[in-house]
Amino acid sequence: TEVQTTRVDGNFNWTLVRVYSDAGVAGTGEAYWGSGVTDLVEEAASRIVGENPCDIDRLYTEMVRGLSAQGSIGGAAVTAISGIEMALHDLAGKLLGVPAYQLLGGKYRDEVRVYVDCHAGAHSTEDTAGAYSPEAYADAAAAVAAEGYDALKFDLDTREESDEYSRHLSPDDIAYMESLVAATTERVEADVAFDCHWNYSGDSARRLAAAVEEYDVWWLEDPIPPENHDVQREVTRGTTTTICAGENLYRDHGVRQLIEEQGVDIIQPDMPRVGGMGETVRIAEMADTYYLPMALHNVSTPLGTVAGAHVAAASPNFLAIEYHSRELDWWADVVEEDVMTEGRLDVPDEPGLGVTLDREVVAANLLDGETLFDPAPEA
């Protein structure tokens, strides 16, 4: 009957989406943050009001077709549709009395593994002068591992010298990055990945990947810009270091070439950005036909993170989902339920997504000018 949005001022400008029904039930989802997303949610909503909310795939297709002029092959239009699609899974699950993972084909696992984005030493020490030293990285890794996490990720895109626009890494740059990898992986008994944030040329990415082959690198993430799949394929084939990418791609069409040509070792979509829950499972199944595992990039609230857990439960080739808000002490309070324990998310068995927004916490952290969407009808 209606779709509303609310934006929350967290470590990102989180965009929450609520879909209402004439059955007295509402579903809540989350779109990837970004400018213009709420306007596009409103446009997409106009395509589905008056429809059966349990026809999730058809409504998803109708929104993609309806927003073609707004660019629904990628970008913010797909992000907006993703938020509604997630809310439809929550709503349909409640209407049918089943958890969202059942709508996705059922579950392979009862809990899903979490990896913590540790950023870099600068986020973990007051000694800013030495924040990007190997010792600071290793200390940060040890601190996070001591909290019970066995999977971590660190930034690997801070160069001591370079023209950042050239995408070139000098020998000194690579030696410095190798020292960060060595110190971090040798300090902790955990899987440790490193994120390059799409910064390097094909040549520099290959040389960096070769330099860290001797270390226990879980994966090297996004070493080159996301547009050219041919270069991505050659970087992956040129090293024994595991290469992971995919967060900046949209819909199953956007990842098809990477998967079919095995241009990555691990595919990593961002579920509230790539097209939603059903689309992410379709990507996982496509990747599984090439025996490629899937990780989930994730910068969401607990709501979107738990939605990711449902997707992870329904995907046979799932590895781990990201937790990007360790530094935000009220992140877990956004929902009423406890959702994470020692690096694991339990997959809820309650109808829909199985979590409830804490309206007081959300209201206390709204972006300026935002209003909290209406309560769910059952509330």
Side-chain angles (χ1 to χ4, degrees):
T1 57
E2 185 181 7
V3 179
Q4 296 181 13
T5 59
T6 293
R7 293 195 301 156
V8 180
D9 186 8
N11 52 339
F12 299 91
N13 295 336
W14 293 316
T15 301
L16 303 178
V17 181
R18 179 159 284 173
V19 177
Y20 300 83
S21 74
D22 64 358
V25 181
T28 311
E30 180 172 354
Y32 192 91
W33 63 279
S35 300
V37 172
T38 55
D39 290 337
L40 289 162
V41 167
E42 183 177 353
E43 176 68 23
S46 70
R47 307 287 174 166
I48 64 170
V49 167
E51 299 283 354
N52 182 345
C54 294
D55 291 338
I56 300 173
D57 281 357
R58 180 176 65 82
L59 298 187
Y60 171 77
T61 301
E62 181 60 32
M63 288 187 288
V64 170
R65 293 175 60 188
L67 267 65
S68 59
Q70 288 85 352
S72 57
I73 63 171
V78 177
T79 292
I81 293 168
S82 300
I84 296 176
E85 194 263 9
M86 188 191 301
L88 288 171
H89 275 90
D90 188 37
L91 174 54
K94 292 174 179 176
L95 291 171
L96 298 172
V98 298
Y101 65 75
Q102 292 288 4
L103 304 175
L104 299 169
K107 63 179 177 177
Y108 286 88
R109 52 193 63 87
D110 295 321
E111 65 175 22
V112 300
R113 192 182 188 193
V114 174
Y115 75 87
V116 182
D117 193 315
C118 304
H119 310 294
H123 292 258
S124 311
T125 177
E126 296 180 0
D127 177 19
T128 55
Y132 294 101
S133 68
E135 294 77 14
Y137 269 62
D139 289 346
V144 176
E147 295 173 6
Y149 297 99
D150 60 5
L152 321 173
K153 184 170 77 176
F154 283 85
D155 293 346
L156 199 63
D157 57 356
T158 303
R159 290 167 281 189
E160 293 188 323
E161 58 172 80
S162 69
D163 171 1
E164 62 181 287
Y165 299 105
S166 72
R167 302 195 181 99
H168 179 71
L169 290 174
S170 70
D172 286 345
D173 289 331
I174 290 179
Y176 164 64
M177 292 178 178
E178 181 183 355
S179 73
L180 297 177
V181 171
T184 308
T185 57
E186 291 170 3
R187 176 69 71 87
V188 294
E189 292 185 6
D191 287 325
V192 186
F194 294 89
D195 193 347
C196 300
H197 291 113
W198 332 284
N199 272 308
Y200 308 131
S201 67
D203 167 71
S204 291
R206 284 190 293 271
R207 289 186 290 114
L208 173 60
V212 301
E213 283 180 346
E214 66 182 278
Y215 305 102
D216 291 330
V217 174
W218 195 18
W219 69 67
L220 193 65
E221 182 173 325
D222 289 317
I224 67 163
E227 298 92 346
N228 192 318
H229 291 355
D230 294 330
V231 178
Q232 179 70 68
R233 180 190 63 234
E234 295 310 308
V235 168
T236 301
R237 291 181 178 179
T239 180
T240 60
T241 298
T242 300
I243 302 296
C244 173
E247 71 177 82
N248 276 316
L249 303 175
Y250 295 89
R251 301 178 56 215
D252 53 2
H253 294 284
V255 302
R256 179 186 59 81
Q257 183 183 348
L258 275 186
I259 292 172
E260 289 181 348
E261 298 181 359
Q262 298 171 68
V264 291
D265 298 305
I266 299 171
I267 193 71
Q268 188 180 42
D270 188 297
M271 185 269 292
R273 185 183 203 179
V274 75
M277 298 175 72
E279 191 78 340
T280 306
V281 170
R282 284 188 284 274
I283 290 169
E285 291 170 345
M286 186 194 309
D288 197 43
T289 65
Y290 290 85
Y291 316 127
L292 293 177
M294 180 184 73
L296 288 177
H297 182 267
N298 175 61
V299 295
S300 301
T301 70
L303 179 82
T305 302
V306 169
H310 284 274
V311 169
S315 302
N317 50 339
F318 168 77
L319 285 182
I321 185 172
E322 183 172 9
Y323 169 43
H324 203 287
S325 303
R326 176 176 168 269
E327 69 275 18
L328 198 67
D329 59 9
W330 54 272
W331 179 85
D333 300 331
V334 170
V335 297
E336 295 178 0
E337 296 80 5
D338 294 328
V339 298
M340 186 161 58
T341 304
E342 292 190 343
R344 298 293 187 272
L345 289 164
D346 289 328
V347 182
D349 288 318
E350 292 75 18
L353 297 181
V355 290
T356 307
L357 287 180
D358 188 313
R359 291 179 61 83
E360 291 185 4
V361 173
V362 173
N365 292 283
L366 294 178
L367 284 166
D368 290 343
E370 288 288 318
T371 56
L372 184 59
F373 42 44
D374 293 337
E378 68 267 30

